[in-house]
Amino acid sequence: MIVGMAREGRTDKQIAAQLKFPFPYLYDETQDVAKKYGAVCTPDFFGYNKDLKLQYRGRLDESRKEPVPNARRDLFEAMQLVAQTGNGPKDQIPSMGCSIKWKGSVE
């Protein structure tokens, strides 16, 4: 599951179509799903094993706003490990991004 990814005026759905994501794109209109998962920023990545047990919650990679050449691909590596062993990495670095703008809240 990925929480949030709008960039440069494009919607999540447009980005998902452009990048041809091989998984369903869902829009959380009420933000109930994000709240239940405990999402705190965008993007926030959650990786599960075949038993639907959370194995990874962390960043995409070591890049920030700009790509970093040869950046460590945390999410990719974590999900490879989950696919091979059923377990995520012991050490995980949290996602960092914009805080979620919760509907109905005053900031």
Side-chain angles (χ1 to χ4, degrees), residues 15-101:
I15 294 168
Q18 176 189 357
L19 297 176
K20 299 179 179 152
F21 287 170
F23 49 83
Y25 171 82
L26 306 172
Y27 180 69
D28 184 16
E29 177 70 34
T30 64
Q31 296 182 316
D32 287 343
V33 174
K35 288 176 183 174
K36 287 180 181 172
Y37 278 90
V40 295
C41 64
T42 61
D44 209 351
F45 297 94
F46 300 79
Y48 294 84
N49 65 13
K50 66 178 182 170
D51 299 320
L52 301 179
K53 303 274 189 219
L54 181 63
Q55 297 299 317
Y56 182 76
R57 178 157 184 210
R59 66 185 185 177
L60 174 66
D61 61 28
E62 61 187 348
S63 296
R64 293 285 307 221
K65 290 186 176 191
E66 299 297 322
V68 173
N70 302 311
R72 180 170 174 225
R73 299 168 61 195
D74 299 56
L75 176 61
F76 179 80
E77 291 173 12
M79 295 315 296
Q80 275 190 322
L81 185 62
V82 170
Q84 293 165 356
T85 69
N87 297 306
K90 179 181 174 191
D91 297 320
Q92 301 179 15
I93 299 171
S95 293
M96 294 178 66
C98 297
S99 63
I100 295 175
K101 310 307 182 250

